[in-house]
PDB file of all heavy atoms in Angstrom:
ATOM      1  N   ALA C   1      20.311   6.808  16.311  1.00 46.00           N
ATOM      2  CA  ALA C   1      20.135   7.460  17.609  1.00 46.00           C
ATOM      3  C   ALA C   1      18.657   7.527  17.965  1.00 46.00           C
ATOM      4  O   ALA C   1      17.793   7.602  17.088  1.00 46.00           O
ATOM      5  CB  ALA C   1      20.739   8.863  17.565  1.00 46.00           C
ATOM      6  N   LEU C   2      18.364   7.511  19.256  1.00 41.00           N
ATOM      7  CA  LEU C   2      16.980   7.437  19.699  1.00 41.00           C
ATOM      8  C   LEU C   2      16.166   8.663  19.310  1.00 41.00           C
ATOM      9  O   LEU C   2      14.948   8.589  19.194  1.00 41.00           O
ATOM     10  CB  LEU C   2      16.929   7.247  21.215  1.00 41.00           C
ATOM     11  CG  LEU C   2      17.421   5.891  21.733  1.00 41.00           C
ATOM     12  CD1 LEU C   2      17.366   5.863  23.244  1.00 41.00           C
ATOM     13  CD2 LEU C   2      16.574   4.763  21.150  1.00 41.00           C
ATOM     14  N   HIS C   3      16.840   9.813  19.107  1.00 41.00           N
ATOM     15  CA  HIS C   3      16.075  11.022  18.788  1.00 41.00           C
ATOM     16  C   HIS C   3      15.771  11.136  17.296  1.00 41.00           C
ATOM     17  O   HIS C   3      15.054  12.047  16.886  1.00 41.00           O
ATOM     18  CB  HIS C   3      16.842  12.267  19.244  1.00 41.00           C
ATOM     19  CG  HIS C   3      18.119  12.492  18.487  1.00 41.00           C
ATOM     20  ND1 HIS C   3      19.313  11.915  18.865  1.00 41.00           N
ATOM     21  CD2 HIS C   3      18.392  13.214  17.364  1.00 41.00           C
ATOM     22  CE1 HIS C   3      20.275  12.285  18.021  1.00 41.00           C
ATOM     23  NE2 HIS C   3      19.748  13.059  17.106  1.00 41.00           N
ATOM     24  N   THR C   4      16.302  10.233  16.479  1.00 39.00           N
ATOM     25  CA  THR C   4      16.041  10.306  15.045  1.00 39.00           C
ATOM     26  C   THR C   4      14.732   9.602  14.721  1.00 39.00           C
ATOM     27  O   THR C   4      14.332   8.671  15.412  1.00 39.00           O
ATOM     28  CB  THR C   4      17.171   9.630  14.237  1.00 39.00           C
ATOM     29  OG1 THR C   4      17.263   8.265  14.636  1.00 39.00           O
ATOM     30  CG2 THR C   4      18.492  10.314  14.490  1.00 39.00           C
ATOM     31  N   PRO C   5      14.040  10.044  13.657  1.00 40.00           N
ATOM     32  CA  PRO C   5      12.804   9.350  13.280  1.00 40.00           C
ATOM     33  C   PRO C   5      13.124   7.953  12.770  1.00 40.00           C
ATOM     34  O   PRO C   5      13.930   7.777  11.860  1.00 40.00           O
ATOM     35  CB  PRO C   5      12.224  10.237  12.174  1.00 40.00           C
ATOM     36  CG  PRO C   5      13.368  11.027  11.661  1.00 40.00           C
ATOM     37  CD  PRO C   5      14.319  11.201  12.805  1.00 40.00           C
ATOM     38  N   LEU C   6      12.489   6.945  13.384  1.00 42.00           N
ATOM     39  CA  LEU C   6      12.818   5.559  13.056  1.00 42.00           C
ATOM     40  C   LEU C   6      11.950   5.000  11.952  1.00 42.00           C
ATOM     41  O   LEU C   6      12.287   3.979  11.370  1.00 42.00           O
ATOM     42  CB  LEU C   6      12.671   4.683  14.307  1.00 42.00           C
ATOM     43  CG  LEU C   6      13.560   5.046  15.496  1.00 42.00           C
ATOM     44  CD1 LEU C   6      13.302   4.080  16.645  1.00 42.00           C
ATOM     45  CD2 LEU C   6      15.023   5.018  15.109  1.00 42.00           C
ATOM     46  N   ARG C   7      10.839   5.623  11.688  1.00 49.00           N
ATOM     47  CA  ARG C   7       9.885   5.018  10.764  1.00 49.00           C
ATOM     48  C   ARG C   7       9.808   5.793   9.459  1.00 49.00           C
ATOM     49  O   ARG C   7       9.840   7.016   9.437  1.00 49.00           O
ATOM     50  CB  ARG C   7       8.503   4.916  11.410  1.00 49.00           C
ATOM     51  CG  ARG C   7       8.510   4.036  12.657  1.00 49.00           C
ATOM     52  CD  ARG C   7       7.115   3.815  13.195  1.00 49.00           C
ATOM     53  NE  ARG C   7       7.160   3.130  14.480  1.00 49.00           N
ATOM     54  CZ  ARG C   7       7.219   1.829  14.628  1.00 49.00           C
ATOM     55  NH1 ARG C   7       7.251   1.045  13.583  1.00 49.00           N
ATOM     56  NH2 ARG C   7       7.244   1.276  15.818  1.00 49.00           N
ATOM     57  N   SER C   8       9.720   5.059   8.381  1.00 56.00           N
ATOM     58  CA  SER C   8       9.602   5.644   7.051  1.00 56.00           C
ATOM     59  C   SER C   8       8.125   5.706   6.688  1.00 56.00           C
ATOM     60  O   SER C   8       7.457   4.677   6.646  1.00 56.00           O
ATOM     61  CB  SER C   8      10.362   4.781   6.035  1.00 56.00           C
ATOM     62  OG  SER C   8      10.179   5.262   4.730  1.00 56.00           O
ATOM     63  N   PRO C   9       7.577   6.901   6.425  1.00 67.00           N
ATOM     64  CA  PRO C   9       6.129   6.999   6.253  1.00 67.00           C
ATOM     65  C   PRO C   9       5.655   6.459   4.909  1.00 67.00           C
ATOM     66  O   PRO C   9       6.287   6.650   3.874  1.00 67.00           O
ATOM     67  CB  PRO C   9       5.863   8.504   6.360  1.00 67.00           C
ATOM     68  CG  PRO C   9       7.146   9.139   5.913  1.00 67.00           C
ATOM     69  CD  PRO C   9       8.238   8.213   6.347  1.00 67.00           C
ATOM     70  N   GLY C  10       4.523   5.764   4.945  1.00 79.00           N
ATOM     71  CA  GLY C  10       3.813   5.372   3.740  1.00 79.00           C
ATOM     72  C   GLY C  10       2.475   6.081   3.738  1.00 79.00           C
ATOM     73  O   GLY C  10       1.926   6.380   4.796  1.00 79.00           O
ATOM     74  N   SER C  11       1.955   6.370   2.575  1.00 88.00           N
ATOM     75  CA  SER C  11       0.685   7.087   2.477  1.00 88.00           C
ATOM     76  C   SER C  11      -0.340   6.231   1.762  1.00 88.00           C
ATOM     77  O   SER C  11       0.008   5.425   0.893  1.00 88.00           O
ATOM     78  CB  SER C  11       0.867   8.412   1.731  1.00 88.00           C
ATOM     79  OG  SER C  11       1.718   9.279   2.461  1.00 88.00           O
ATOM     80  N   GLY C  12      -1.596   6.423   2.127  1.00 90.00           N
ATOM     81  CA  GLY C  12      -2.671   5.660   1.514  1.00 90.00           C
ATOM     82  C   GLY C  12      -3.765   6.557   0.997  1.00 90.00           C
ATOM     83  O   GLY C  12      -3.935   7.690   1.451  1.00 90.00           O
ATOM     84  N   LYS C  13      -4.502   6.047   0.030  1.00 91.00           N
ATOM     85  CA  LYS C  13      -5.590   6.800  -0.590  1.00 91.00           C
ATOM     86  C   LYS C  13      -6.776   5.870  -0.748  1.00 91.00           C
ATOM     87  O   LYS C  13      -6.636   4.648  -0.722  1.00 91.00           O
ATOM     88  CB  LYS C  13      -5.149   7.317  -1.964  1.00 91.00           C
ATOM     89  CG  LYS C  13      -4.714   6.208  -2.936  1.00 91.00           C
ATOM     90  CD  LYS C  13      -4.191   6.780  -4.230  1.00 91.00           C
ATOM     91  CE  LYS C  13      -3.830   5.687  -5.230  1.00 91.00           C
ATOM     92  NZ  LYS C  13      -2.672   4.895  -4.802  1.00 91.00           N
ATOM     93  N   GLY C  14      -7.965   6.455  -0.919  1.00 92.00           N
ATOM     94  CA  GLY C  14      -9.127   5.608  -1.118  1.00 92.00           C
ATOM     95  C   GLY C  14     -10.406   6.404  -1.152  1.00 92.00           C
ATOM     96  O   GLY C  14     -10.452   7.567  -0.719  1.00 92.00           O
ATOM     97  N   VAL C  15     -11.447   5.786  -1.660  1.00 92.00           N
ATOM     98  CA  VAL C  15     -12.745   6.459  -1.746  1.00 92.00           C
ATOM     99  C   VAL C  15     -13.458   6.439  -0.397  1.00 92.00           C
ATOM    100  O   VAL C  15     -14.383   7.214  -0.170  1.00 92.00           O
ATOM    101  CB  VAL C  15     -13.633   5.813  -2.823  1.00 92.00           C
ATOM    102  CG1 VAL C  15     -13.001   5.960  -4.191  1.00 92.00           C
ATOM    103  CG2 VAL C  15     -13.878   4.343  -2.520  1.00 92.00           C
ATOM    104  N   THR C  16     -13.047   5.548   0.507  1.00 92.00           N
ATOM    105  CA  THR C  16     -13.602   5.506   1.852  1.00 92.00           C
ATOM    106  C   THR C  16     -12.453   5.516   2.846  1.00 92.00           C
ATOM    107  O   THR C  16     -11.294   5.249   2.501  1.00 92.00           O
ATOM    108  CB  THR C  16     -14.446   4.244   2.088  1.00 92.00           C
ATOM    109  OG1 THR C  16     -13.578   3.085   2.073  1.00 92.00           O
ATOM    110  CG2 THR C  16     -15.520   4.090   1.016  1.00 92.00           C
ATOM    111  N   GLU C  17     -12.782   5.793   4.093  1.00 93.00           N
ATOM    112  CA  GLU C  17     -11.763   5.800   5.135  1.00 93.00           C
ATOM    113  C   GLU C  17     -11.113   4.422   5.276  1.00 93.00           C
ATOM    114  O   GLU C  17      -9.895   4.307   5.436  1.00 93.00           O
ATOM    115  CB  GLU C  17     -12.395   6.235   6.461  1.00 93.00           C
ATOM    116  CG  GLU C  17     -11.435   6.270   7.624  1.00 93.00           C
ATOM    117  CD  GLU C  17     -12.082   6.792   8.888  1.00 93.00           C
ATOM    118  OE1 GLU C  17     -12.768   7.831   8.815  1.00 93.00           O
ATOM    119  OE2 GLU C  17     -11.905   6.158   9.952  1.00 93.00           O
ATOM    120  N   ALA C  18     -11.920   3.363   5.218  1.00 94.00           N
ATOM    121  CA  ALA C  18     -11.379   2.008   5.372  1.00 94.00           C
ATOM    122  C   ALA C  18     -10.410   1.673   4.240  1.00 94.00           C
ATOM    123  O   ALA C  18      -9.342   1.100   4.477  1.00 94.00           O
ATOM    124  CB  ALA C  18     -12.518   0.996   5.415  1.00 94.00           C
ATOM    125  N   HIS C  19     -10.778   1.999   3.004  1.00 94.00           N
ATOM    126  CA  HIS C  19      -9.879   1.727   1.883  1.00 94.00           C
ATOM    127  C   HIS C  19      -8.575   2.517   2.021  1.00 94.00           C
ATOM    128  O   HIS C  19      -7.495   2.004   1.697  1.00 94.00           O
ATOM    129  CB  HIS C  19     -10.561   2.081   0.556  1.00 94.00           C
ATOM    130  CG  HIS C  19     -11.575   1.080   0.106  1.00 94.00           C
ATOM    131  ND1 HIS C  19     -12.930   1.305   0.219  1.00 94.00           N
ATOM    132  CD2 HIS C  19     -11.445  -0.155  -0.450  1.00 94.00           C
ATOM    133  CE1 HIS C  19     -13.590   0.258  -0.263  1.00 94.00           C
ATOM    134  NE2 HIS C  19     -12.711  -0.643  -0.667  1.00 94.00           N
ATOM    135  N   ALA C  20      -8.658   3.762   2.481  1.00 94.00           N
ATOM    136  CA  ALA C  20      -7.453   4.575   2.618  1.00 94.00           C
ATOM    137  C   ALA C  20      -6.547   4.043   3.725  1.00 94.00           C
ATOM    138  O   ALA C  20      -5.314   4.050   3.592  1.00 94.00           O
ATOM    139  CB  ALA C  20      -7.838   6.023   2.888  1.00 94.00           C
ATOM    140  N   LYS C  21      -7.129   3.573   4.822  1.00 95.00           N
ATOM    141  CA  LYS C  21      -6.318   2.993   5.894  1.00 95.00           C
ATOM    142  C   LYS C  21      -5.578   1.753   5.412  1.00 95.00           C
ATOM    143  O   LYS C  21      -4.377   1.575   5.675  1.00 95.00           O
ATOM    144  CB  LYS C  21      -7.205   2.635   7.086  1.00 95.00           C
ATOM    145  CG  LYS C  21      -7.669   3.823   7.916  1.00 95.00           C
ATOM    146  CD  LYS C  21      -8.502   3.346   9.096  1.00 95.00           C
ATOM    147  CE  LYS C  21      -8.915   4.501   9.986  1.00 95.00           C
ATOM    148  NZ  LYS C  21      -9.745   4.041  11.130  1.00 95.00           N
ATOM    149  N   VAL C  22      -6.290   0.881   4.697  1.00 94.00           N
ATOM    150  CA  VAL C  22      -5.658  -0.331   4.173  1.00 94.00           C
ATOM    151  C   VAL C  22      -4.567   0.034   3.168  1.00 94.00           C
ATOM    152  O   VAL C  22      -3.499  -0.588   3.138  1.00 94.00           O
ATOM    153  CB  VAL C  22      -6.718  -1.249   3.540  1.00 94.00           C
ATOM    154  CG1 VAL C  22      -6.058  -2.353   2.727  1.00 94.00           C
ATOM    155  CG2 VAL C  22      -7.593  -1.862   4.613  1.00 94.00           C
ATOM    156  N   SER C  23      -4.817   1.034   2.346  1.00 94.00           N
ATOM    157  CA  SER C  23      -3.823   1.467   1.371  1.00 94.00           C
ATOM    158  C   SER C  23      -2.551   1.947   2.058  1.00 94.00           C
ATOM    159  O   SER C  23      -1.433   1.625   1.632  1.00 94.00           O
ATOM    160  CB  SER C  23      -4.413   2.581   0.508  1.00 94.00           C
ATOM    161  OG  SER C  23      -3.454   3.102  -0.385  1.00 94.00           O
ATOM    162  N   ALA C  24      -2.696   2.715   3.142  1.00 94.00           N
ATOM    163  CA  ALA C  24      -1.521   3.189   3.886  1.00 94.00           C
ATOM    164  C   ALA C  24      -0.772   2.033   4.529  1.00 94.00           C
ATOM    165  O   ALA C  24       0.465   1.963   4.485  1.00 94.00           O
ATOM    166  CB  ALA C  24      -1.953   4.202   4.948  1.00 94.00           C
ATOM    167  N   LEU C  25      -1.513   1.098   5.138  1.00 95.00           N
ATOM    168  CA  LEU C  25      -0.880  -0.069   5.759  1.00 95.00           C
ATOM    169  C   LEU C  25      -0.141  -0.894   4.719  1.00 95.00           C
ATOM    170  O   LEU C  25       1.004  -1.321   4.935  1.00 95.00           O
ATOM    171  CB  LEU C  25      -1.947  -0.921   6.447  1.00 95.00           C
ATOM    172  CG  LEU C  25      -1.480  -2.261   7.038  1.00 95.00           C
ATOM    173  CD1 LEU C  25      -0.436  -2.044   8.107  1.00 95.00           C
ATOM    174  CD2 LEU C  25      -2.677  -3.044   7.587  1.00 95.00           C
ATOM    175  N   ALA C  26      -0.779  -1.124   3.561  1.00 94.00           N
ATOM    176  CA  ALA C  26      -0.154  -1.938   2.519  1.00 94.00           C
ATOM    177  C   ALA C  26       1.114  -1.283   1.993  1.00 94.00           C
ATOM    178  O   ALA C  26       2.126  -1.954   1.749  1.00 94.00           O
ATOM    179  CB  ALA C  26      -1.141  -2.175   1.375  1.00 94.00           C
ATOM    180  N   GLU C  27       1.096   0.052   1.826  1.00 93.00           N
ATOM    181  CA  GLU C  27       2.300   0.712   1.327  1.00 93.00           C
ATOM    182  C   GLU C  27       3.429   0.639   2.343  1.00 93.00           C
ATOM    183  O   GLU C  27       4.597   0.450   1.987  1.00 93.00           O
ATOM    184  CB  GLU C  27       2.015   2.171   0.973  1.00 93.00           C
ATOM    185  CG  GLU C  27       3.235   2.881   0.416  1.00 93.00           C
ATOM    186  CD  GLU C  27       2.914   4.206  -0.234  1.00 93.00           C
ATOM    187  OE1 GLU C  27       2.130   4.222  -1.203  1.00 93.00           O
ATOM    188  OE2 GLU C  27       3.455   5.235   0.218  1.00 93.00           O
ATOM    189  N   ALA C  28       3.095   0.771   3.626  1.00 93.00           N
ATOM    190  CA  ALA C  28       4.135   0.670   4.650  1.00 93.00           C
ATOM    191  C   ALA C  28       4.742  -0.735   4.682  1.00 93.00           C
ATOM    192  O   ALA C  28       5.964  -0.897   4.782  1.00 93.00           O
ATOM    193  CB  ALA C  28       3.549   1.030   6.013  1.00 93.00           C
ATOM    194  N   LEU C  29       3.894  -1.763   4.587  1.00 93.00           N
ATOM    195  CA  LEU C  29       4.407  -3.133   4.587  1.00 93.00           C
ATOM    196  C   LEU C  29       5.177  -3.438   3.306  1.00 93.00           C
ATOM    197  O   LEU C  29       6.169  -4.178   3.323  1.00 93.00           O
ATOM    198  CB  LEU C  29       3.253  -4.117   4.769  1.00 93.00           C
ATOM    199  CG  LEU C  29       2.523  -4.037   6.114  1.00 93.00           C
ATOM    200  CD1 LEU C  29       1.350  -5.007   6.146  1.00 93.00           C
ATOM    201  CD2 LEU C  29       3.484  -4.312   7.265  1.00 93.00           C
ATOM    202  N   GLU C  30       4.704  -2.889   2.189  1.00 93.00           N
ATOM    203  CA  GLU C  30       5.435  -3.045   0.926  1.00 93.00           C
ATOM    204  C   GLU C  30       6.835  -2.459   1.054  1.00 93.00           C
ATOM    205  O   GLU C  30       7.828  -3.061   0.634  1.00 93.00           O
ATOM    206  CB  GLU C  30       4.671  -2.343  -0.190  1.00 93.00           C
ATOM    207  CG  GLU C  30       5.435  -2.202  -1.498  1.00 93.00           C
ATOM    208  CD  GLU C  30       4.873  -1.102  -2.381  1.00 93.00           C
ATOM    209  OE1 GLU C  30       3.647  -1.035  -2.549  1.00 93.00           O
ATOM    210  OE2 GLU C  30       5.669  -0.299  -2.892  1.00 93.00           O
ATOM    211  N   ARG C  31       6.925  -1.277   1.655  1.00 91.00           N
ATOM    212  CA  ARG C  31       8.232  -0.627   1.799  1.00 91.00           C
ATOM    213  C   ARG C  31       9.131  -1.432   2.731  1.00 91.00           C
ATOM    214  O   ARG C  31      10.321  -1.614   2.455  1.00 91.00           O
ATOM    215  CB  ARG C  31       8.029   0.795   2.329  1.00 91.00           C
ATOM    216  CG  ARG C  31       9.297   1.617   2.379  1.00 91.00           C
ATOM    217  CD  ARG C  31       8.987   3.081   2.593  1.00 91.00           C
ATOM    218  NE  ARG C  31       8.145   3.604   1.522  1.00 91.00           N
ATOM    219  CZ  ARG C  31       7.773   4.876   1.434  1.00 91.00           C
ATOM    220  NH1 ARG C  31       8.156   5.743   2.349  1.00 91.00           N
ATOM    221  NH2 ARG C  31       7.019   5.284   0.442  1.00 91.00           N
ATOM    222  N   TYR C  32       8.567  -1.911   3.831  1.00 91.00           N
ATOM    223  CA  TYR C  32       9.360  -2.729   4.753  1.00 91.00           C
ATOM    224  C   TYR C  32       9.894  -3.969   4.046  1.00 91.00           C
ATOM    225  O   TYR C  32      11.056  -4.351   4.209  1.00 91.00           O
ATOM    226  CB  TYR C  32       8.511  -3.134   5.950  1.00 91.00           C
ATOM    227  CG  TYR C  32       9.230  -4.042   6.922  1.00 91.00           C
ATOM    228  CD1 TYR C  32       9.986  -3.516   7.961  1.00 91.00           C
ATOM    229  CD2 TYR C  32       9.184  -5.430   6.777  1.00 91.00           C
ATOM    230  CE1 TYR C  32      10.665  -4.350   8.842  1.00 91.00           C
ATOM    231  CE2 TYR C  32       9.862  -6.269   7.650  1.00 91.00           C
ATOM    232  CZ  TYR C  32      10.599  -5.720   8.682  1.00 91.00           C
ATOM    233  OH  TYR C  32      11.280  -6.547   9.538  1.00 91.00           O
ATOM    234  N   SER C  33       9.039  -4.613   3.260  1.00 92.00           N
ATOM    235  CA  SER C  33       9.430  -5.859   2.594  1.00 92.00           C
ATOM    236  C   SER C  33      10.510  -5.632   1.546  1.00 92.00           C
ATOM    237  O   SER C  33      11.191  -6.583   1.148  1.00 92.00           O
ATOM    238  CB  SER C  33       8.203  -6.500   1.936  1.00 92.00           C
ATOM    239  OG  SER C  33       7.204  -6.783   2.893  1.00 92.00           O
ATOM    240  N   GLY C  34      10.676  -4.409   1.096  1.00 93.00           N
ATOM    241  CA  GLY C  34      11.666  -4.124   0.067  1.00 93.00           C
ATOM    242  C   GLY C  34      13.076  -3.960   0.587  1.00 93.00           C
ATOM    243  O   GLY C  34      14.027  -3.887  -0.210  1.00 93.00           O
ATOM    244  N   TYR C  35      13.246  -3.912   1.914  1.00 92.00           N
ATOM    245  CA  TYR C  35      14.579  -3.712   2.469  1.00 92.00           C
ATOM    246  C   TYR C  35      15.352  -5.024   2.526  1.00 92.00           C
ATOM    247  O   TYR C  35      14.803  -6.078   2.859  1.00 92.00           O
ATOM    248  CB  TYR C  35      14.499  -3.118   3.873  1.00 92.00           C
ATOM    249  CG  TYR C  35      14.332  -1.617   3.889  1.00 92.00           C
ATOM    250  CD1 TYR C  35      13.064  -1.051   3.882  1.00 92.00           C
ATOM    251  CD2 TYR C  35      15.433  -0.771   3.895  1.00 92.00           C
ATOM    252  CE1 TYR C  35      12.902   0.334   3.897  1.00 92.00           C
ATOM    253  CE2 TYR C  35      15.280   0.597   3.906  1.00 92.00           C
ATOM    254  CZ  TYR C  35      14.018   1.150   3.904  1.00 92.00           C
ATOM    255  OH  TYR C  35      13.862   2.506   3.904  1.00 92.00           O
ATOM    256  N   PHE C  36      16.636  -4.947   2.205  1.00 94.00           N
ATOM    257  CA  PHE C  36      17.527  -6.094   2.324  1.00 94.00           C
ATOM    258  C   PHE C  36      17.711  -6.424   3.800  1.00 94.00           C
ATOM    259  O   PHE C  36      17.985  -5.537   4.613  1.00 94.00           O
ATOM    260  CB  PHE C  36      18.874  -5.768   1.683  1.00 94.00           C
ATOM    261  CG  PHE C  36      19.881  -6.882   1.758  1.00 94.00           C
ATOM    262  CD1 PHE C  36      19.867  -7.901   0.820  1.00 94.00           C
ATOM    263  CD2 PHE C  36      20.834  -6.906   2.761  1.00 94.00           C
ATOM    264  CE1 PHE C  36      20.788  -8.935   0.895  1.00 94.00           C
ATOM    265  CE2 PHE C  36      21.760  -7.927   2.838  1.00 94.00           C
ATOM    266  CZ  PHE C  36      21.737  -8.945   1.902  1.00 94.00           C
ATOM    267  N   GLN C  37      17.574  -7.731   4.154  1.00 91.00           N
ATOM    268  CA  GLN C  37      17.676  -8.138   5.546  1.00 91.00           C
ATOM    269  C   GLN C  37      18.776  -9.167   5.800  1.00 91.00           C
ATOM    270  O   GLN C  37      19.071  -9.472   6.952  1.00 91.00           O
ATOM    271  CB  GLN C  37      16.322  -8.677   6.028  1.00 91.00           C
ATOM    272  CG  GLN C  37      15.215  -7.646   5.879  1.00 91.00           C
ATOM    273  CD  GLN C  37      13.968  -8.007   6.662  1.00 91.00           C
ATOM    274  OE1 GLN C  37      14.051  -8.536   7.766  1.00 91.00           O
ATOM    275  NE2 GLN C  37      12.810  -7.698   6.103  1.00 91.00           N
ATOM    276  N   GLY C  38      19.361  -9.730   4.735  1.00 92.00           N
ATOM    277  CA  GLY C  38      20.510 -10.599   4.921  1.00 92.00           C
ATOM    278  C   GLY C  38      20.254 -12.072   4.699  1.00 92.00           C
ATOM    279  O   GLY C  38      21.207 -12.855   4.526  1.00 92.00           O
ATOM    280  N   ASP C  39      18.966 -12.503   4.720  1.00 94.00           N
ATOM    281  CA  ASP C  39      18.694 -13.919   4.509  1.00 94.00           C
ATOM    282  C   ASP C  39      18.176 -14.196   3.097  1.00 94.00           C
ATOM    283  O   ASP C  39      17.697 -15.304   2.818  1.00 94.00           O
ATOM    284  CB  ASP C  39      17.710 -14.453   5.549  1.00 94.00           C
ATOM    285  CG  ASP C  39      16.428 -13.634   5.642  1.00 94.00           C
ATOM    286  OD1 ASP C  39      16.304 -12.645   4.895  1.00 94.00           O
ATOM    287  OD2 ASP C  39      15.563 -13.973   6.472  1.00 94.00           O
ATOM    288  N   GLU C  40      18.284 -13.224   2.221  1.00 96.00           N
ATOM    289  CA  GLU C  40      17.880 -13.418   0.830  1.00 96.00           C
ATOM    290  C   GLU C  40      18.920 -14.286   0.112  1.00 96.00           C
ATOM    291  O   GLU C  40      20.126 -14.167   0.366  1.00 96.00           O
ATOM    292  CB  GLU C  40      17.756 -12.072   0.106  1.00 96.00           C
ATOM    293  CG  GLU C  40      16.705 -11.129   0.668  1.00 96.00           C
ATOM    294  CD  GLU C  40      17.167 -10.348   1.877  1.00 96.00           C
ATOM    295  OE1 GLU C  40      18.324 -10.535   2.295  1.00 96.00           O
ATOM    296  OE2 GLU C  40      16.374  -9.553   2.404  1.00 96.00           O
ATOM    297  N   PRO C  41      18.500 -15.166  -0.793  1.00 97.00           N
ATOM    298  CA  PRO C  41      19.465 -15.987  -1.529  1.00 97.00           C
ATOM    299  C   PRO C  41      20.287 -15.119  -2.481  1.00 97.00           C
ATOM    300  O   PRO C  41      19.750 -14.243  -3.160  1.00 97.00           O
ATOM    301  CB  PRO C  41      18.581 -16.975  -2.295  1.00 97.00           C
ATOM    302  CG  PRO C  41      17.259 -16.297  -2.424  1.00 97.00           C
ATOM    303  CD  PRO C  41      17.104 -15.469  -1.174  1.00 97.00           C
ATOM    304  N   ARG C  42      21.597 -15.372  -2.500  1.00 97.00           N
ATOM    305  CA  ARG C  42      22.490 -14.595  -3.366  1.00 97.00           C
ATOM    306  C   ARG C  42      23.533 -15.506  -3.997  1.00 97.00           C
ATOM    307  O   ARG C  42      23.988 -16.467  -3.390  1.00 97.00           O
ATOM    308  CB  ARG C  42      23.194 -13.498  -2.560  1.00 97.00           C
ATOM    309  CG  ARG C  42      22.295 -12.357  -2.130  1.00 97.00           C
ATOM    310  CD  ARG C  42      23.061 -11.350  -1.285  1.00 97.00           C
ATOM    311  NE  ARG C  42      23.322 -11.866   0.054  1.00 97.00           N
ATOM    312  CZ  ARG C  42      24.237 -11.364   0.886  1.00 97.00           C
ATOM    313  NH1 ARG C  42      25.013 -10.375   0.485  1.00 97.00           N
ATOM    314  NH2 ARG C  42      24.401 -11.873   2.088  1.00 97.00           N
TER     315      ARG C  42
END
């Protein structure tokens, strides 16, 4: 439903702001890539 939260949050850490932003982005993409999508070989 449109009122439900659609995004699964990922968190990032780092010694600088830039490293922490990249860490958060990488964790979010890692989580997305872990979902079954149907075109995986089985």
Side-chain angles (χ1 to χ4, degrees):
L2 291 178
H3 66 273
T4 59
L6 300 180
R7 299 186 188 274
S8 175
S11 296
K13 58 184 183 292
V15 297
T16 67
E17 180 176 313
H19 284 104
K21 285 182 177 179
V22 168
S23 176
L25 174 61
E27 181 167 300
L29 295 177
E30 169 201 314
R31 186 167 301 183
Y32 177 88
S33 301
Y35 277 90
F36 180 84
Q37 302 195 38
D39 53 0
E40 298 82 0
R42 289 177 286 163

